[in-house]
Amino acid sequence: MSYTQLKRVDLIFDTEATTKDILQTAWSKTNEQIVNELLESGLKGRGGAGFPTAMKWKFTSEQPEKERFVICNADEGEPGTFKDREILFKVPQKVFGGMAVCAKVIGATQGFVYLRGEYRFLLKELQKQLDDFHGILKDLGINFSISIVMGSGAYICGEESALFESMEGKRGEPRNKPPYPTIAGFRSKPTVINNVETLVYAFMITKHGAKKFKDLGTADSRGSKVFSISGDTPKAGIYELELGMTVEQFVEEFGDGDTKAVQVGGASGFCVPRKKFKDTIIGFEGVPTGGSMMLFNSSRSMYNVLHNYLEFFEEESCGQCTPCRVGCQQLMKGIEAVKKGKKHAAYLEQLMKLSQTMKITAKCGLGQSVANSFSSIVENFKEEMIY
Amino acid sequence: MPEIKDLVKGLAEAHGRTRESLIPILQGVIAHENYISDEAMTEIARELDISAAQVYGTATFYSFLDTQPRGKYVIRVCKTITCAMKGKSLIIQELEDLLKIKLGETTPNRKFSLLETNCLGWCHKGPAMLINDEAYTELTPEKVREIINEYIRK
């Protein structure tokens, strides 16, 4: 097997066309054209949840309420994800450009970038780039402006409704859904909230048309994706790759020769053990990912890995709903008890049930997704949990 | 505390007196005072005309909005999985030795606080830490010694 198996793509970081050119192309199109192109391209949200971007834009544009917002979710907090930082560092104007195109489609005049507190060191340069961008908008006669809002160290604020709460000056506690942000988002107004990477793809699709993007990937996972690769790999870093590869192909290229498991999608994603590498596709038809790919070799204890995840969730749970607040604590206490021999190994079954209960009953994606890593690690590495 | 009063008033004037300005104001207090005292919280509540409980509730939700006294330089070492795998414990040990404090503590001269934090987004370059807003990556005990010595001289 050769290294050329995975197709490298350069849509995100390519700076061939200027922001101004692409904006002009966008403004020469009608809103319907832009939405149809996005729809045709099959672009799905790159934050992890994978909602079709075109539909978000379309639903928001159809709301009776005329005051609308576009928000860039730059609260990248998922363990193992760091691609948004790189995108904001290297091609910030493309992110702003994507927001402007979205604003045109939905009829917004105000946009916000919610930047995680951990990335405050980016703020100065980002603000400078933003000033330049506002200059370009002014030249083109486009009525749209963006402000940067800083987060303050809360993973949960990456959840869209928690992010709105945070922007409104409150605790970052997720809201009940529905209503979805397209109907009632920031300040209860129709809001499009997209991940950093999604906005850049939307911008590039406006430039290239749908075909270039659609020709990449598979039926369920169109296009390419920026992957954040870390853990036991000689090639840790950021790579834009075509979607649709299997974990096996991925490991051949990025593994250290001794990979025993790959965590796809971060702590809230799935753990794929070696025996399933071959049959698991990285994408919406297999294991979805916001880009986080963590490799573990056989020297790693999967108990420690899971314990680290649970500690993360326990601390980052907003504490609002009981299944998540208590569930995370109990799962952690539970695996500790089994490991120490205070509980019988069969207790793991009960913990699995608890994680499934959380999946059904937790209020937001955080509590619901704890079961993903929990059950995929416990099922596949049971001995490591017990002995 | 007249200084706090002036600080909060200045921040309220800069950011506005709506609920939406609460977090920017709290962040502003952190930038000046390194933590948000009870006095600051009551003062903010007065300026924004909301209850102090709401200010407290919001401030305590966010891990970067400290409500306990902190040093001038707050060190936050990433403890999430890949940093943990790449030797975060050694880094913390080195910091504890250098600063002669334990995790969670502040030096008596109020210069450094040592904390752990969740994923900083430098997983490919772990172990990583923040000192205030500045990120330091691919840390080794030697590198940590150099960095801290530089801060001690500051």
Side-chain angles (χ1 to χ4, degrees):
Chain A
M1 300 270 177
S2 71
Y3 281 125
T4 51
Q5 225 179 20
L6 300 186
K7 191 167 168 195
R8 303 284 171 97
V9 185
D10 193 18
L11 279 169
I12 292 279
F13 296 108
D14 132 71
T15 49
E16 207 179 290
T18 67
T19 312
K20 196 170 180 176
D21 290 342
I22 307 176
L23 282 174
Q24 274 171 328
T25 312
W27 256 258
S28 70
K29 297 178 184 183
T30 66
N31 292 343
E32 289 70 35
Q33 269 175 313
I34 296 174
V35 170
N36 286 337
E37 265 179 359
L38 272 186
L39 199 60
E40 167 84 20
S41 75
L43 175 64
K44 290 181 183 176
R46 291 298 194 239
F51 192 80
T53 308
M55 300 315 282
K56 257 191 199 179
W57 293 20
K58 189 164 178 278
F59 291 153
T60 308
S61 70
E62 286 165 352
Q63 290 308 309
E65 167 63 51
K66 292 293 169 231
E67 191 181 10
R68 298 156 186 173
F69 298 107
V70 49
I71 294 175
C72 167
N73 186 344
D75 194 52
E76 175 178 59
E78 189 63 48
T81 320
F82 40 87
K83 44 115 189 154
D84 290 343
R85 170 175 50 74
E86 189 84 352
I87 295 172
L88 286 166
F89 179 69
K90 286 196 173 148
V91 287
Q93 298 238 350
K94 282 170 130 179
V95 180
F96 304 146
M99 293 174 73
V101 175
C102 175
K104 169 180 153 62
V105 170
I106 66 169
T109 56
Q110 225 183 335
F112 301 90
V113 175
Y114 186 97
L115 184 67
R116 70 187 299 221
E118 289 84 344
Y119 293 168
R120 190 180 270 275
F121 59 88
L122 288 173
L123 184 60
K124 208 172 152 194
E125 179 59 26
L126 217 48
Q127 192 60 53
K128 208 177 124 226
Q129 293 283 339
L130 185 57
D131 292 343
D132 291 349
F133 183 76
H134 283 148
I136 298 172
L137 291 183
K138 209 176 157 199
D139 287 349
L140 296 173
I142 297 168
N143 175 26
F144 177 60
S145 75
I146 298 172
S147 324
I148 302 173
V149 178
M150 290 306 303
S152 254
Y155 167 74
I156 188 61
C157 289
E159 198 280 343
E160 51 195 19
S161 63
L163 188 150
F164 302 144
E165 291 288 301
S166 176
M167 281 180 63
E168 291 173 10
K170 299 176 227 160
R171 292 166 68 86
E173 290 173 348
R175 299 173 182 169
N176 283 323
K177 288 184 202 176
Y180 290 96
T182 50
I183 295 169
F186 178 52
R187 296 180 189 157
S188 300
K189 305 286 185 191
T191 305
V192 166
I193 175 160
N194 281 141
N195 172 261
V196 173
E197 185 186 342
T198 313
L199 288 163
V200 179
Y201 276 122
F203 196 49
M204 296 318 280
I205 289 165
T206 313
K207 177 189 176 233
H208 295 296
K211 194 174 178 308
K212 186 165 177 174
F213 187 82
K214 198 188 165 188
D215 285 349
L216 297 167
T218 63
D220 282 341
S221 311
R222 290 276 176 223
S224 51
K225 165 102 200 64
V226 184
F227 287 91
S228 313
I229 299 168
S230 67
D232 295 314
T233 163
K235 292 196 257 179
I238 290 152
Y239 299 84
E240 184 176 355
L241 303 169
E242 181 178 5
L243 283 170
M245 63 190 145
T246 63
V247 179
E248 185 176 51
Q249 289 170 314
F250 175 83
V251 168
E252 259 161 35
E253 173 132 5
F254 292 100
D256 61 357
D258 186 27
T259 309
K260 88 165 164 189
V262 180
Q263 181 77 23
V264 183
S268 65
F270 296 86
C271 183
V272 183
R274 191 182 285 156
K275 61 175 185 258
K276 292 182 184 161
F277 284 176
K278 211 180 167 116
D279 304 319
T280 310
I281 294 174
I282 301 165
F284 297 109
E285 57 271 78
V287 277
T289 175
S292 172
M293 302 291 289
M294 297 188 283
L295 294 95
F296 303 112
N297 69 21
S298 56
S299 74
R300 305 295 174 188
S301 149
M302 295 312 287
Y303 171 83
N304 288 348
V305 171
L306 180 58
H307 193 273
N308 190 288
Y309 292 166
L310 291 173
E311 206 179 297
F312 175 84
F313 285 127
E314 193 224 329
E315 285 180 17
E316 296 294 344
S317 167
C318 80
Q320 184 186 192
C321 75
T322 315
C324 179
R325 182 184 64 243
V326 179
C328 291
Q329 293 170 8
Q330 291 305 318
L331 289 179
M332 191 154 91
K333 276 190 185 169
I335 63 162
E336 283 171 357
V338 171
K339 189 79 178 174
K340 286 178 186 149
K342 286 182 185 160
K343 288 272 184 197
H344 192 268
Y347 188 60
L348 287 172
E349 291 308 316
Q350 262 175 283
L351 294 176
M352 293 277 272
K353 275 190 201 156
L354 172 60
S355 77
Q356 291 308 315
T357 304
M358 289 167 68
K359 191 169 203 148
I360 302 165
T361 55
K363 187 168 172 176
C364 81
L366 192 156
Q368 289 162 11
S369 59
V370 173
N372 296 348
S373 53
F374 188 84
S375 53
S376 58
I377 293 179
V378 170
E379 259 169 29
N380 293 304
F381 298 97
K382 206 166 220 165
E383 324 72 54
E384 292 191 37
M385 299 301 125
I386 303 166
Y387 303 109
Chain B
M1 284 195 145
E3 313 95 75
I4 286 284
K5 216 172 175 157
D6 291 342
L7 173 66
V8 170
K9 197 171 175 210
L11 286 166
E13 256 146 39
H15 296 288
R17 287 183 166 80
T18 63
R19 180 70 197 249
E20 279 177 25
S21 19
L22 176 56
I23 293 176
I25 292 174
L26 291 168
Q27 289 166 339
V29 173
I30 291 277
H32 283 89
E33 301 287 307
N34 311 315
Y35 87 109
I36 305 158
S37 61
D38 291 354
E39 292 81 10
M41 284 191 261
T42 21
E43 204 44 48
I44 294 170
R46 202 195 328 268
E47 282 289 344
L48 300 188
D49 197 18
I50 54 179
S51 95
Q54 284 176 309
V55 178
Y56 179 81
T58 305
T60 50
F61 186 86
Y62 297 91
S63 64
F64 282 17
L65 300 178
D66 289 302
T67 49
Q68 286 172 38
R70 298 284 188 223
K72 188 174 172 200
Y73 301 111
V74 180
I75 305 170
R76 294 173 206 271
V77 183
C78 177
K79 64 169 181 182
T80 305
I81 186 69
T82 41
C83 283
M85 281 159 53
K86 304 282 173 190
K88 157 229 93 159
S89 312
L90 283 178
I91 302 304
I92 291 189
Q93 213 169 47
E94 185 66 30
L95 285 163
E96 285 181 337
D97 289 350
L98 280 169
L99 302 170
K100 300 181 180 61
I101 51 172
K102 293 272 164 226
L103 202 59
E105 293 178 350
T106 299
T107 53
N109 63 1
R110 283 280 186 95
K111 193 152 184 183
F112 294 98
S113 292
L114 178 59
L115 307 172
E116 274 186 329
T117 189
N118 282 324
C119 191
L120 289 175
W122 289 99
C123 320
H124 57 324
K125 291 186 174 173
M129 67 176 178
L130 283 180
I131 301 186
N132 291 350
D133 298 334
E134 212 58 51
Y136 296 89
T137 60
E138 295 173 288
L139 296 171
T140 58
E142 296 75 48
K143 219 166 150 183
V144 166
R145 229 170 294 145
E146 275 169 38
I147 296 165
I148 294 302
N149 280 331
E150 226 167 90
Y151 275 90
I152 287 174
R153 282 194 292 272
K154 272 191 192 177

